[in-house]
């Protein structure tokens, strides 16, 4: 049973339920970029992202990765476990794109021999600065043991996701993960969708993710629909 809203982020709203161990995440059509400075709405964005996320969470669960996903309660709403969110954005990079090409002398489209993991402190106030293990521990956001576990899980997810996307003719240059704690375990939280991944069409190289909005590269809803057609064809049947 959906109760009052407890939090509204840039793309999702979280509601309490009558069970304190479960929440409802509503995927909205709103879009932001550049720390919320650029804002818009895209028709059906919430629907496609919710369905894509659900499918990916189910795939990861089937591979033994614990996620907060329980079940869909509507087309755009998922029932999730209540977790204690770890205030770190975990970015995994396979091919150079985005901020790494602006901050370092690395050419866009460079394929990294080994995936690169970057940890950012999730804080709008401080502009999500990069973290290392020592800073994370000093800030009290995670322990060394948790940082190690997060790294291992993120690399495992990367392997599974690269393969998964490859099967539907998508390259996965990079993506962002968030984790939480539940019963002493690290649990994958948030979402995995066109908002949180870079996805390039294998044949054309075109962006099929939020870069379309960030850099005004075309019709975002159409691209997200195409990704949904490849990942969750059953919703179009
Ligand atoms: P970046 O190149 O802008 O640092 O983004 C790296 C990846 O992380 C990219 O797939 C988009 C994703 N991302 C988010 O999901 N949320 C964010 O707030 C940012 C900055 C990036």
């Amino acid at each position: 049973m959906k109760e009052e809203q407890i939090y509204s982020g840039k793309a999702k709203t979280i509601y309490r339920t009558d069970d304190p161990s479960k929440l409802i995440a509503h995927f909205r059509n709103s879009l932001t970029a550049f720390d919320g400075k650029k804002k818009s709405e895209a028709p059906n964005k919430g629907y496609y992202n919710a369905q894509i996320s659900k499918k990916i969470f189910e795939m990861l669960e089937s591979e033994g990765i614990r996620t907060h996903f329980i079940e869909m309660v509507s087309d755009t709403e998922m029932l999730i476990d209540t977790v204690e969110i770890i205030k770190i954005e975990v970015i995994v990079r396979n091919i150079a794109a985005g901020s790494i090409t602006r901050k370092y002398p690395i050419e866009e489209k460079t394929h990294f021999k080994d995936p690169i993991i970057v940890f950012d402190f999730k804080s709008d106030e401080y502009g999500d600065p990069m973290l290392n293990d020592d800073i994370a521990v000093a800030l009290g956001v995670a322990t060394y043991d948790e940082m190690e576990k997060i790294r291992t899980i993120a690399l495992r997810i990367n392997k599974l996701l690269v393969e998964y996307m490859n099967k539907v003719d998508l390259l996965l240059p990079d993506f962002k993960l968030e984790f939480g704690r539940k019963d002493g375990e690290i649990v994958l939280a948030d979402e995995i969708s066109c908002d949180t991944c870079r996805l390039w069409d294998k044949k054309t190289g075109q962006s099929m993710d939020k870069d379309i909005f960030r850099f005004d590269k075309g019709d975002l809803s159409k691209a997200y629909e195409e990704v949904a057609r490849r990942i969750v064809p059953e919703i179009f049947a």
Side-chain angles (χ1 to χ4, degrees):
M1 194 85 87
K2 188 160 132 188
E3 294 185 351
E4 82 273 21
Q5 173 182 319
I6 53 170
Y7 173 78
S8 192
K10 296 187 186 102
K12 292 190 294 304
T13 302
I14 308 296
Y15 296 87
R16 224 187 283 285
T17 70
D18 52 6
D19 177 348
S21 72
K22 298 182 177 77
L23 301 170
I24 287 174
H26 174 225
F27 286 66
R28 305 195 317 268
N29 289 337
S30 49
L31 276 159
T32 72
F34 311 116
D35 293 329
K37 284 182 212 93
K38 183 168 175 170
K39 285 198 185 86
S40 191
E41 295 264 323
N44 296 321
K45 185 205 75 131
Y47 173 55
Y48 297 133
N49 275 351
Q51 299 296 325
I52 291 164
S53 250
K54 162 197 188 267
K55 192 74 183 267
I56 293 174
F57 281 143
E58 286 174 343
M59 180 277 286
L60 294 173
E61 288 274 356
S62 78
E63 297 287 344
I65 292 184
R66 188 149 176 212
T67 80
H68 71 166
F69 175 74
I70 302 171
E71 62 181 1
M72 297 305 290
V73 291
S74 78
D75 280 353
T76 56
E77 293 170 308
M78 55 175 67
L79 189 66
I80 56 175
D81 285 316
T82 306
V83 301
E84 185 192 347
I85 286 288
I86 297 172
K87 294 180 82 60
I88 296 178
E89 298 201 347
V90 180
I91 293 145
V92 185
R93 298 182 181 274
N94 298 299
I95 306 171
S99 65
I100 199 165
T101 65
R102 296 192 293 271
K103 290 183 188 166
Y104 305 94
I106 299 174
E107 285 272 307
E108 192 182 52
K109 300 194 176 73
T110 304
H111 287 243
F112 301 120
K113 191 167 139 281
D114 296 304
I116 291 173
I117 296 195
V118 175
F119 297 110
D120 286 347
F121 177 40
K122 193 175 155 66
S123 163
D124 283 339
E125 190 188 349
Y126 287 89
D128 298 346
M130 204 202 292
L131 281 175
N132 62 15
D133 291 11
D134 289 345
I135 298 174
V137 171
L139 285 172
V141 296
T143 65
Y144 285 109
D145 181 53
E146 286 175 333
M147 294 300 282
E148 186 57 41
K149 282 189 178 137
I150 287 171
R151 202 184 156 79
T152 304
I153 301 168
L155 286 172
R156 176 104 206 290
I157 292 172
N158 183 48
K159 237 184 173 146
L160 293 165
L161 270 188
V162 166
E163 260 174 55
Y164 191 81
M165 295 301 180
N166 185 49
K167 283 187 196 143
V168 293
D169 291 325
L170 292 169
L171 289 175
L172 181 66
D174 54 41
F175 59 98
K176 187 259 305 180
L177 301 172
E178 292 181 31
F179 293 91
R181 299 180 188 95
K182 177 141 190 121
D183 312 325
E185 259 193 85
I186 300 290
V187 177
L188 179 65
D190 196 47
E191 65 182 275
I192 299 184
S193 71
C194 295
D195 275 10
T196 62
C197 297
R198 280 201 171 87
L199 296 167
W200 293 346
D201 182 78
K202 239 177 16 186
K203 290 189 191 89
T204 66
Q206 284 197 345
S207 290
M208 303 185 71
D209 58 68
K210 206 164 94 174
D211 271 352
I212 295 170
F213 167 67
R214 292 190 189 98
F215 305 110
D216 303 308
K217 296 209 258 188
D219 187 337
L220 179 127
S221 295
K222 230 174 108 190
Y224 281 32
E225 180 188 332
E226 176 54 28
V227 173
R229 282 186 185 279
R230 296 188 199 185
I231 294 179
V232 271
E234 57 273 19
I235 65 172
F236 298 92

